[in-house]
Amino acid sequence: MTIRNVLTRIRLIAHREMHMFSRRPMFLFSMLIVPVTSIFLFTTVMGDGLPVNLPAGLVDEDNTVISRSLVRTLDAMAETDLVARYPSFHEARQAMQRGEICAIYHIPKGTTSKALSQRQPSISFYTNETYFLPSAMLMKEMYLSSELISISVNRSTMTARGNTLGRAMAATQPIVLETHPLGNPWINYAILLCNVILPGVLILCILISTSYTIGMEWKMETHLDLYRMGNHNPAVILMGKLLPQTLLYMLIFLFMDVYLYKILYYPCHCAFINMVLIGWLTVFAAQGMAIFVFAVFPGMMRFSMSVCSLIGVVSMSISGYSFPTLAMDRYLQYVVNIFPLRHYYLIYVNQALNGYSIVYVWANVAALTIFMLLPVLVLRRYNKIFTDYSYRP
Amino acid sequence: MIQKFLRIISIAGHELYEIMHDHGVLTFILFLPLAYPLVYGAIYHTEVMTDVPTAVVDDSKSSIARDFAHRLDATQGARVVQLCTDMNQAEELMRQMKVYAIVHIPESFERDIKRERQTRIGLYINMASSLYYKGVALATNMTVLDMNKDISINYLGAGTKQQNKVARQPISYYYTPLYNTQSGFAAFIMPPVLMLILQQTLLLGIGMSMGRARETYRRKMHTLYQLYQRPVEIIIGKSIPYFALYLIMAVYMFTFITWFFGLPSLGNYLTYLVVIVPYLLACIFMGVVLSCLVYRREDCIMIFVSLSVPMLFVSGVIWPASHEPAFWRYVSYCLPSTFGMHAYVRIQSMGAGFADVYPEFRALWIQTAVYFFIAYLLYRWRLSLIKKKLITLFEGDYENERLLI
């Protein structure tokens, strides 16, 4: 076959594929509507970045000047919103069970009088840990305000004893901690999650639609036509068949990068083109994986689609952007390497988030390249699949 | 009445037969709900991120700084893996992902403390995951507070042990994480995901069985014409096998999975069963409605799988529902999973009673009614189409007969 011949065949097969898309609106749904809607969904749902004014309840049994100043300090903090006061802890807990508040701050009776007479009273706070994110925010602020009240008592004692304010500060807070969350100083959850979940959704869509469109040929029993169209050359066939999808997904990845880094201004400490190229490499890697899976389960369209779905869905949990892989079981730290999203995530952290040299993640780039090249291993097998296998439900 | 009942039973029997003879559907409704929670649990069962690898850059080379590093190492959140001589070395470790946080102790650290001046420690955290931040920031903050109090004693201490204790912390405080007492990740994410698994596998199963019916009987949605004439009977008959099976699955999630992974289990069995009935019904009827989109068996995977993660996100389990845009909140109200997840978390993890989950319970029944009605309309429409076709066929026959006469 001459190069010209090959290109013509690829063009014809791609054309045939586009014709298939046009007859089935479902392709439009899962290749365009789901990815693009997801991009808008995740970025707008977490549009605040960090939830502010989370509902908390207060049980103030003390009701003195000091307890009220403590309450004011707490209420003035960014993330805590004391929405309700309850006469007893029991009622506050019931409100929590109804889902009205995420945390309870409890100042028992006698707190002030004990504090004034140096009898060390204790206050307590509770968060509803079944909702992880709000409770983490509230816990942080409740710790802080509880600590501040002690510091302010000690500082008053110091100044009352005739010390300067500077000395009093040094006495009550000798060491000050300056925290620098690198690359995401606002601790913006949209940046933490969207940068990885969105490629995850895209990879899932790519895996499923690739195995669907390949399997469809066997299901409709058109695989032999296709085989003849591609001149019995699986490489040409697969290239032609996946070309429209590839271009579409490359476009969607480009759109995602433009939207995240150029419109929403998520931190991108590397060259913009790097993220685009990594996205495209991920598209090829996911497609390579799906082609490989279908070769392992030839003709079994449903089964290979299920395997691809499993890879796509599990990768969202196992990749380590929400729950670090470091904390998982030992064997999972090896298993995780078969998921393309894991490699994308590590490259993203290295590149866009931290702006380090790509040399540090060469292994992950190599892994994605290997996924991309997986079809080469099974090209010969595809010859056999085209001729010998038929659709199995 | 008895006729009706018998027809429903035979439709249910026919559905069951179809399900049992389709491996694809069986995988989705039998294998997946049984196995997927185990996979999910295997990933998250370690619950907490402890000992985040941390580097300490000690420029002061003092005993107080060493004490600080030791105390930090002893916390749950951080583990000091390397004492670095300068920032460059620590940054290199960070780039290689050998450490996820750097604590920088300045050269003037000890001198400042001795001279009664405030001193500053720098903490640099890799924001790859929020749990690195949470672990290290909390550990370092606690260590700093602890050291601060020890140093303060020198100024404030009045002598006796008790006085020192009070001076360290004039007002003490206690923090209690409720319901998920170790702030575990599995205990947070698994309960809602269990409910989502029920819904998604139902959608997949019903979708696939509809795809099979469509493929076998072409454009009709049902088979035996004699039996399948009344939409209400068809929908109820179709739902019975799924409902019966999923009641068992729901109990499996509530009991076995919860026990196996040690998830919070304060739930009252009866409350759970009362709420799970409308949840399953709403899911099944939604499945019947959405399955009209499925023309081939494999279509259902294409449609439903990629929606799982967005469904989890709009529900408000991860990101508080009160802080998401109103549009998405209303979208989430259309999904049974939103209410199912919240109700399950409250019942099972928080020990809520029936009164506490009444809003969710009511919403689920409303969804059940709405989805049933939509399914009814869809089926009636389809049936009328088929009837029209048959009538034209028969009329043709009449004409032929007349011609014969």
Side-chain angles (χ1 to χ4, degrees), chain A residues 1 87 94 105 119 168 213 219 239 243 261 263 288 305 366 368:
Chain A
M1 271 199 299
Q94 280 178 335
Y105 202 85
R119 279 180 291 153
T213 183
K219 188 178 172 86
M239 257 187 241
L243 186 66
Y261 303 123
I263 296 175
M305 279 181 83
L368 286 182

Side-chain angles (χ1 to χ4, degrees), chain A residues 13-48:
Chain A
I13 296 174
H15 201 79
R16 177 173 170 275
E17 180 78 2
M18 304 258 272
H19 188 66
M20 245 172 82
F21 292 168
S22 68
R23 274 180 309 169
R24 319 213 56 200
M26 209 196 50
F27 275 109
L28 188 75
F29 177 76
S30 59
M31 295 184 350
L32 198 64
I33 296 178
V34 170
V36 174
T37 315
S38 298
I39 291 175
F40 288 117
L41 185 146
F42 285 106
T43 47
T44 50
V45 163
M46 291 185 280
D48 295 347

Side-chain angles (χ1 to χ4, degrees), chain A residues 13 19 31 33 49 75 95 107 131 133 144 206-207 227 229 232 255 273 295 334 340 343 349:
Chain A
I13 296 174
H19 188 66
M31 295 184 350
I33 296 178
D75 207 9
I107 308 172
Y131 297 102
L133 211 151
L144 186 60
I206 296 170
L207 284 168
Y227 196 44
M229 261 182 102
H232 304 222
F255 167 72
I273 188 75
Y334 300 105
H343 302 289
V349 167

Side-chain angles (χ1 to χ4, degrees), chain B residues 4 198 226 232 264 337:
Chain B
K4 248 183 204 160
L198 286 182
Q226 280 302 309
V232 175
S337 56

Side-chain angles (χ1 to χ4, degrees), chain A residues 44 52 97 120-121 123 127 129 147 150 154 167 171 174-176 178 180 182 212 219 327 329 360 391, chain B residues 45-46 92 116 119 121 123 125 148 152 167 169 172-175 178 183 215 298-299 323 328 346 350:
Chain A
T44 50
V52 289
Q97 259 167 2
Q120 203 184 31
I123 48 190
T127 59
E129 289 290 310
E147 201 55 59
S150 283
N154 272 345
R167 190 160 188 269
I175 307 170
V176 179
E178 285 177 346
H180 306 271
L182 298 176
Y212 182 83
K219 188 178 172 86
D329 281 335
Y360 293 99
Y391 171 72
Chain B
H45 80 97
T46 39
E92 182 64 21
E116 302 181 356
T119 185
I121 284 181
L123 169 64
I125 307 170
N148 276 350
S152 305
Q169 186 82 50
S172 69
Y173 58 87
Y174 295 98
Y175 166 56
L178 288 176
S183 295
E215 278 174 19
E298 288 81 2
D299 287 5
H323 290 73
W328 292 119
R346 294 233 201 95
M350 301 166 63

Side-chain angles (χ1 to χ4, degrees), chain B residues 41 83 103 110 173 199 203 222 229 263 271 286 345 360 372:
Chain B
L83 285 166
V103 175
E110 187 179 30
Y173 58 87
Q199 176 188 289
L203 292 185
H222 41 73
Q229 278 185 334
L263 304 174
T271 315
M286 184 169 87
V345 169
E360 279 80 9
F372 184 85

Side-chain angles (χ1 to χ4, degrees), chain B residues 42-260:
Chain B
I43 294 173
Y44 289 139
H45 80 97
T46 39
E47 296 272 15
V48 281
M49 173 81 214
T50 55
D51 289 341
V52 177
T54 307
V56 172
V57 181
D58 180 7
D59 282 344
S60 87
K61 309 266 187 302
S62 60
S63 65
I64 302 183
R66 279 192 294 276
D67 183 28
F68 180 85
H70 284 145
R71 289 192 195 197
L72 184 63
D73 193 30
T75 58
Q76 182 189 290
R79 183 164 57 96
V80 179
V81 290
Q82 186 107 30
L83 285 166
C84 299
T85 44
D86 61 4
M87 263 321 249
N88 288 337
Q89 192 193 351
E91 275 178 56
E92 182 64 21
L93 289 172
M94 182 89 113
R95 285 188 211 114
Q96 293 171 359
M97 291 227 169
K98 287 188 176 146
V99 301
Y100 292 89
I102 301 171
V103 175
H104 179 232
I105 300 173
E107 183 262 328
S108 64
F109 185 66
E110 187 179 30
R111 202 169 55 235
D112 283 340
I113 291 172
K114 293 271 161 72
R115 285 184 179 175
E116 302 181 356
R117 274 201 305 236
Q118 275 193 329
T119 185
R120 283 162 195 278
I121 284 181
L123 169 64
Y124 304 85
I125 307 170
N126 188 342
M127 290 301 282
S129 162
S130 65
L131 288 189
Y132 296 136
Y133 173 77
K134 193 181 169 188
V136 176
L138 196 66
T140 322
N141 264 305
M142 288 296 149
T143 314
V144 167
L145 286 175
D146 200 41
M147 284 203 77
N148 276 350
K149 283 168 198 159
D150 286 350
I151 299 167
S152 305
I153 292 297
N154 299 333
Y155 302 86
L156 290 157
T160 69
K161 235 179 183 174
Q162 179 62 23
Q163 277 170 326
N164 276 348
K165 192 181 144 214
V166 175
R168 257 182 132 253
Q169 186 82 50
I171 298 176
S172 69
Y173 58 87
Y174 295 98
Y175 166 56
T176 316
L178 288 176
Y179 309 124
N180 169 7
T181 46
Q182 53 171 343
S183 295
F185 206 81
F188 145 66
I189 196 84
M190 285 275 288
V193 165
L194 291 179
M195 288 297 109
L196 191 64
I197 291 173
L198 286 182
Q199 176 188 289
Q200 292 303 95
T201 53
L202 262 174
L203 292 185
L204 284 169
I206 296 175
M208 181 162 273
S209 90
M210 175 66 94
R212 175 190 158 96
R214 282 243 173 101
E215 278 174 19
T216 329
Y217 310 105
R218 298 310 287 170
R219 294 180 64 82
K220 293 183 264 176
M221 286 196 285
H222 41 73
T223 49
L224 313 167
Y225 187 67
Q226 280 302 309
L227 209 56
Y228 285 70
Q229 278 185 334
R230 293 159 194 82
V232 175
E233 288 171 13
I234 300 177
I235 299 167
I236 295 176
K238 253 175 147 12
S239 312
I240 287 173
Y242 294 103
F243 184 75
L245 176 64
Y246 269 72
L247 214 50
I248 301 171
M249 290 301 170
V251 171
Y252 165 77
M253 307 277 182
F254 190 79
T255 52
F256 178 77
I257 292 292
T258 303
W259 165 79
F260 192 70

